[in-house]
Structures are given as structure tokens and as C-alpha cells.
Amino acid sequence: MIAQVAAVQLANALKHIYINPLERCNLNCQICYTRKTSPILTSTQILDFVTAYQKVQKLETITFCGGEVLALANFPDLINTLTQQSLFIQVITNGTINVLKKIQHPNSVNFIVSIDGIEKLHDANRGLGNYQKSINFLRHAIKLGCHCEVFSIVHHQNLNLIDEFEIELKKELGVLPPITYHPRKPPLYLETHPVANILGQVTGFDFLTQSEMLELMQTRRVFPSPELGCYQIAVASDGQVYGCCEGTMPLGKMTESPAGLIAKLRQRLESWSQTNEFQGCLGCSQPDFMCGIKPYLKKLPQK
Ligand SMILES: C[S@@+](CC[C@H](N)C(=O)[O-])C[C@H]1O[C@@H](n2cnc3c(N)ncnc32)[C@H](O)[C@@H]1O
Ligand code: SF4
Ligand code: SF4
């Protein structure tokens, strides 16, 4: 049996799937942790999976990530097809490729744009001029009526500039979008993940120390959240399906029955329930991995 709290979380999580159609990207960020492998899912593969999934499970939201999905010429058409089916679409993007005028239902799309702190530090990671491109993307998206959020990588050098970053962002946009901070994937994550394990440049982007990580987890909205619960059916560009966006052990393939994939995710959470040692935790689909944050969670006060 899954713990009651995780059962409720799973019921909600199943209404939201994650798809990574490609790993390739138009940028080459200094601290990106993902490998730029070649496979790319076609729109037909994606739509077939979505249709099969909806036959067994209510679906409300799809989050797309990459690589950079807005580098795919047919991606705006795919978004439009899915929003026409009354699905809510989230796109995690670097915001440097502006295809917004092709989006037919702006209010059905949430653009989650990555901005890694103040302009100087963002551009040091992503390349000169890219901060302004991403800000212009956000301004345009807000004007069109899209939902907008920000993901922001935090490392030792930009941690103490978060307040300054939020002031700067609000000044640029007129509003402060919801921000989720992503602590730079810690060494334990990179050592353990079989594919997403690029170390990248460290000088100028040092990993957070243990106390910095704990402070960030307790003071800002972070991913993964200390309560976890971040599992969902997640399709990767090679057609493998995982139990979350950071998965390392597949549940199966996207051509398999979605009911079977969901049953395997449920089993993972059943075994998590039997071994979980954290109060109030919503569960993890890969407790042996846990994004490398288990040592930090052990140091946080238990609720
Ligand atoms: C791999 S990117 C793909 C989407 C898109 N290309 C972008 O940059 O937003 C997905 C998310 O991972 C974040 N990310 C990249 N490298 C990271 C790292 N070393 N630690 C934590 N998050 C990272 C990005 O900032 C982005 O929000
Ligand atoms: S963080 Fe995003 S934009 Fe930067 S290289 Fe990685 S996938 Fe591309
Ligand atoms: S490994 Fe666990 S903590 Fe990490 S994203 Fe997956 S479910 Fe969340």
C-alpha cells in the first residue's frame, strides 16, 4: 500500500506528464548537466503517446523540456494541436528563440524561462546577450497573455545576489513571475546519474556548500522541493519512460501500454512507502537516487 499522502499526490501527478522530445540545444551553457544526444521524438510519436495515455488516465497538463524544444521547427504546431484538445502546455525554455507569434492559445501555455541570476552571471553561463533575449521573450509572452514562470540555477556565486536578481527582474518585467530555484546539481547527483552527468565549468559557478544548500531549501521555492512528490510519467527523447523528469531507471518504453507504465510507477511508490524515513515526504520514484539530495534532507528539521 502507498502511504495515504503519496496516494493523493500520485492521483494528481498522473494528470500531468513530462516529455523531453530532444536533448540537442541552440546554446551550450557552461554548467548545463545534460548530454546533447541525437534522438528526437516526432510529433506523431508524441501525439500517439498522449492519445494512448488519455484512454486510461485523465490528462490535464504536459510539460515539455529538452534540450531546447523551441529550436524544433514544428514545435509551435504541436503546442497548438495539444491546446486545441484543451490540454494545458508548459514549456521549459532558454527563451532565446522567439516563436510566440505562432502560439494560437496563449492562455493555455505556461512558458517557464530559465534565467540564472543577474544579467552578468546569467550571460557568463549562457552567453553574452542571452539575458536580454530571454527578458524580451518573457515581456512578449506576458503581453500576449501567456502564463510565465522562471527557473533559476543557483550556485555559490549567485546565491547571495538572489534579492538583487528579483528586484532586477521585477523592474524589467513590471511583475515578478513565480521563480523556482534550481540548486546547481550537486556532485552526488552528477556522480550517480548515468546520462545527465556533465560536470561543466566550476570556476565562477562553484557548487553550493552544504549549509548554502540547506539555507536555500528552507528560504526559497526549490526543485526538487524538500517534500519531494516530483514523480510523474516522463518520456525521454530515446522513447524510454521514467518515473520522473530526473529518472535513471526506466519504467518501460513509450510504445508500451500506459496502464502498465502507471502500474510500475505505483509499485515504485509502494516500495518507497515501506522504506521512507522522512516525515511529511510525498515520495520519490527513485529513492536510491533522490537527485543526490538525501544527505541534505537528513539535515533539515523534520516537520
Ligand atoms: C536542461 S534544461 C532544458 C530546457 C532549456 N534548454 C532551458 O535551459 O531552460 C532544463 C532545466 O535545467 C536547468 N539546469 C541546467 N543545468 C543545470 C544544473 N547544472 N543544475 C541545475 N539545473 C540545471 C536549466 O536551467 C533548465 O531550467
Ligand atoms: S541549460 Fe538549457 S539552454 Fe543551456 S545548454 Fe542546457 S539545455 Fe541548452
Ligand atoms: S529522483 Fe526523486 S527527488 Fe529526483 S526528481 Fe525524481 S522523484 Fe523527484
Side-chain angles (χ1 to χ4, degrees):
M1 267 259 298
I2 309 185
Q4 178 65 19
V5 65
V8 173
Q9 180 75 5
L10 178 63
N12 284 322
L14 291 175
K15 294 179 200 157
H16 178 178
I17 62 174
Y18 177 95
I19 303 181
N20 228 6
L22 81 171
E23 293 295 345
R24 290 205 180 157
C25 186
N26 63 320
L27 299 187
N28 187 17
C29 302
Q30 301 291 339
I31 59 171
C32 181
Y33 67 116
T34 62
R35 284 190 188 279
K36 310 293 173 280
T37 50
S38 301
I40 299 182
L41 297 176
T42 64
S43 292
T44 307
Q45 280 176 296
I46 292 170
L47 291 169
D48 285 354
F49 181 79
V50 169
T51 304
Y53 191 87
Q54 286 178 302
K55 286 191 178 141
V56 299
Q57 166 63 45
K58 184 174 167 51
L59 180 65
E60 294 172 352
T61 303
I62 305 175
T63 294
F64 287 99
C65 191
E68 182 49 55
V69 284
L70 298 186
L72 291 171
N74 59 354
F75 199 72
D77 291 341
L78 179 65
I79 295 182
N80 293 335
T81 304
L82 293 166
T83 53
Q84 264 155 26
Q85 296 176 16
S86 300
L87 287 163
F88 187 70
I89 302 302
Q90 303 204 108
V91 181
I92 304 173
T93 173
N94 60 40
T96 62
I97 303 175
N98 189 336
V99 294
L100 289 165
K101 64 175 188 307
K102 297 186 184 162
I103 302 300
Q104 287 170 352
H105 306 102
N107 195 245
S108 299
V109 185
N110 185 22
F111 284 102
I112 304 174
V113 180
S114 296
I115 306 197
D116 305 328
I118 59 168
E119 180 165 8
K120 195 171 115 203
L121 292 180
H122 174 93
D123 280 358
N125 180 31
R126 295 192 180 244
L128 201 61
N130 283 324
Y131 179 89
Q132 277 310 327
K133 276 192 194 167
S134 302
I135 292 290
N136 289 342
F137 184 102
L138 277 166
R139 276 200 198 111
H140 190 181
I142 291 168
K143 198 169 160 200
L144 291 175
C146 302
H147 301 259
C148 288
E149 289 185 38
V150 166
F151 277 180
S152 186
I153 306 175
V154 185
H155 47 82
H156 175 72
Q157 278 78 2
N158 68 9
L159 175 72
N160 291 325
L161 296 169
I162 286 183
D163 287 339
E164 196 181 316
F165 165 55
E166 293 189 357
I167 291 167
E168 184 177 289
L169 199 57
K170 188 167 177 194
K171 213 156 87 190
E172 296 273 17
L173 301 175
V175 287
L176 187 64
I179 305 175
T180 305
Y181 290 96
H182 288 233
R184 182 174 185 184
K185 297 290 185 225
L188 185 55
Y189 176 108
L190 299 172
E191 283 156 22
T192 322
H193 202 294
V195 185
N197 56 11
I198 295 186
L199 175 65
Q201 183 179 322
V202 177
T203 311
F205 306 94
D206 298 297
F207 294 103
L208 295 179
T209 64
Q210 185 179 79
S211 61
E212 288 174 336
M213 179 76 109
L214 292 172
E215 183 200 327
L216 185 69
M217 286 172 128
Q218 290 176 97
T219 54
R220 306 282 175 168
R221 186 160 93 163
V222 288
F223 180 84
S225 127
E227 289 82 32
L228 306 185
C230 28
Y231 36 82
Q232 63 191 147
I233 293 293
V235 185
S237 57
D238 59 2
Q240 300 276 20
V241 178
Y242 294 89
C244 66
C245 64
E246 305 288 357
T248 64
M249 288 161 44
L251 299 169
K253 294 201 168 87
M254 70 188 296
T255 44
E256 290 174 32
S257 126
L261 296 168
I262 291 170
K264 286 187 203 161
L265 176 54
R266 198 177 295 279
Q267 275 165 15
R268 294 255 183 110
L269 293 169
E270 277 166 11
S271 61
W272 162 81
S273 289
Q274 283 155 18
T275 54
N276 172 44
E277 54 198 278
F278 299 113
Q279 281 172 24
C281 179
L282 298 171
C284 169
S285 61
Q286 291 204 194
D288 292 338
F289 171 53
M290 214 177 258
C291 287
I293 62 168
K294 198 166 180 175
Y296 304 101
L297 296 183
K298 282 187 175 165
K299 301 263 175 200
L300 285 176
Q302 293 291 302
K303 287 178 190 151

